[in-house]
Amino acid sequence: MPEVPEVDEKPDDDPEKDPLALRLEQLILGADRRYTPFQAARSAGVSMELASRFWRAMGFPDIGQAKALTEADVLALRRLAGLVEAGLLSEAMAVQVARSTGQTTARLAEWQIDSFLEGLTEPPEPGMTRTEVTYPLVELLLPELEEFLVYVWRRQLAAATGRVVQAADDEEMVDRRLAVGFADLVGFTRLTRRMEEEELGELVEAFETTAADLVAAHGGRLIKTLGDEVLYAADDAGVAAEIALRLIETMANDETMPELRVGIAFGTVTTRMGDVFGTTVNLASRLTSIAPRDAVLVDGAFAEELTRTGEAPASEAEAAEAAAAAEKEGEEPPSYRFALQPMWQRPVRGLGVVEPWLLARRG
């Protein structure tokens, strides 16, 4: 281990002059600024090149040789490099870990400040400034939010690990067969011209919150939100179908919401850093763009999967035959949750000719 360089107790080149900002940073990080990037890398036993790769992957800006890093920064570098040295992660995978963690937590932190702390730091009494409220509030919230973050992460990690180990083979762990759905607000561009920014923000937040709750409640996974669009995935076609129809029904009952359209495709999907890619995802997106208002369009593979699992009949004629046969034998007729109606074949840009199916509830 290289010798730890001597450093000053207090930074002499702080880029920020606001004393409250520095006090808040010290409170949140739990340490003073002590190291330049070069000193931090040397203390961690990591090359400056690798340290820079890690920091950029985590979303940290280049700071030259300002003395702005802490013992926690040194420890984080040492841990990542240690995982590589022990052979638990390749260097490329360690950089991916840094990038995925940085991107996810950056968005979380921005949301907490913009939507959460901003509201809570309104002066509780006349004459008090927001500055006077912020520090003690952060001091109280920090340990609670930290513990809650770790709890949710462990829960999500356990669920994701369970899904992966149930894969049929090693290839399926990366390239998996999933149902992928897009839900898109109709006429959102026109709304942006008519609504005030605050109103538009509230509408988007309500849509994202409703969609996230429904996806989670019915066993799907929210992949990402894009303002007027939500992308979700499910291992089971029936789960994806239920989510799509629930989204349509819920939004239709809310007068403040515009109409919705949903497209779903089923097939092999490549997963990377929590996102999904591939032809199946592209097809789901194209189906959404041609779906009627307040309706769900699915591809042929999805329709076949619903039929195979007994969630929907191949046709109403088949359903009638099955019901008649069951009645003749004195048995209960098959119970289908969904109905599928074939639509006209049409060319879809980049994907050739597809035959979409209209999905609805049965009965």
Side-chain angles (χ1 to χ4, degrees), residues 148-161:
F148 185 69
L149 174 62
V150 173
Y151 155 73
V152 175
W153 170 71
R154 284 181 177 273
R155 269 288 179 186
Q156 295 287 7
L157 187 64
T161 303

Side-chain angles (χ1 to χ4, degrees), residues 205-223:
E205 185 175 357
F207 169 56
E208 291 183 350
T209 299
T210 301
D213 288 349
L214 285 172
V215 169
H218 294 282
R221 297 187 298 285
L222 186 69
I223 304 299

Side-chain angles (χ1 to χ4, degrees), residues 309-326:
T309 56
E311 299 273 17
S315 66
E316 288 304 309
E318 180 183 287
E321 288 177 8

Side-chain angles (χ1 to χ4, degrees), residues 5-245:
E6 293 183 3
V7 293
D8 297 328
E9 288 299 318
K10 297 210 178 273
D12 53 13
D13 55 350
D14 289 332
E16 298 178 71
K17 300 301 181 183
D18 187 340
L20 175 63
L22 292 174
R23 286 179 62 219
L24 281 169
E25 179 190 277
Q26 184 178 359
L27 170 65
I28 294 170
L29 298 180
D32 291 323
R33 297 179 174 191
R34 292 177 56 85
Y35 300 101
T36 66
F38 177 79
Q39 290 170 333
R42 186 179 174 190
S43 295
V46 176
S47 71
M48 189 62 204
E49 180 184 359
L50 182 57
S52 295
R53 287 186 68 196
F54 284 149
W55 286 325
R56 287 169 185 167
M58 285 184 272
F60 303 157
D62 292 338
I63 58 172
Q65 287 306 313
K67 195 172 290 184
L69 303 179
T70 72
E71 291 289 350
D73 295 295
V74 172
L75 181 59
L77 282 179
R78 194 175 293 153
R79 281 176 170 160
L80 277 175
L83 292 172
V84 175
E85 290 173 8
L88 295 172
L89 294 177
S90 67
E91 187 174 304
M93 181 59 69
V95 171
Q96 280 194 359
V97 168
R99 179 170 290 111
S100 61
T101 306
Q103 289 177 357
T104 302
T105 53
R107 184 180 181 189
L108 175 63
E110 288 290 345
W111 179 89
Q112 287 175 331
I113 293 301
D114 291 345
S115 303
F116 185 50
L117 290 178
E118 183 177 305
L120 287 178
T121 53
E122 290 294 338
E125 297 180 12
M128 289 188 70
T129 65
R130 178 171 293 182
T131 299
E132 291 172 321
V133 177
T134 301
Y135 189 92
L137 182 61
V138 171
E139 191 172 29
L140 290 171
L141 282 174
L142 188 62
E144 302 299 327
L145 292 178
E146 182 177 17
E147 287 192 15
F148 185 69
L149 174 62
V150 173
Y151 155 73
V152 175
W153 170 71
R154 284 181 177 273
R155 269 288 179 186
Q156 295 287 7
L157 187 64
T161 303
R163 288 193 296 268
V164 169
V165 298
Q166 290 176 36
D169 51 45
D170 289 345
E171 288 186 7
E172 194 179 337
M173 289 185 180
V174 178
D175 297 318
R176 304 162 58 193
R177 286 177 63 78
L178 297 175
V180 177
F182 278 94
D184 179 54
L185 292 175
V186 178
F188 185 77
T189 302
R190 290 194 301 275
L191 284 176
T192 61
R193 301 192 190 103
R194 298 202 314 262
M195 298 179 71
E196 297 290 334
E197 286 187 9
E198 186 173 347
E199 283 183 292
L200 194 62
E202 289 174 355
L203 184 145
V204 168
E205 185 175 357
F207 169 56
E208 291 183 350
T209 299
T210 301
D213 288 349
L214 285 172
V215 169
H218 294 282
R221 297 187 298 285
L222 186 69
I223 304 299
K224 59 186 173 184
T225 58
L226 304 169
D228 62 330
E229 193 171 57
V230 166
L231 171 62
Y232 71 92
D235 299 302
D236 181 86
V239 168
E242 182 65 28
I243 290 170
L245 293 172

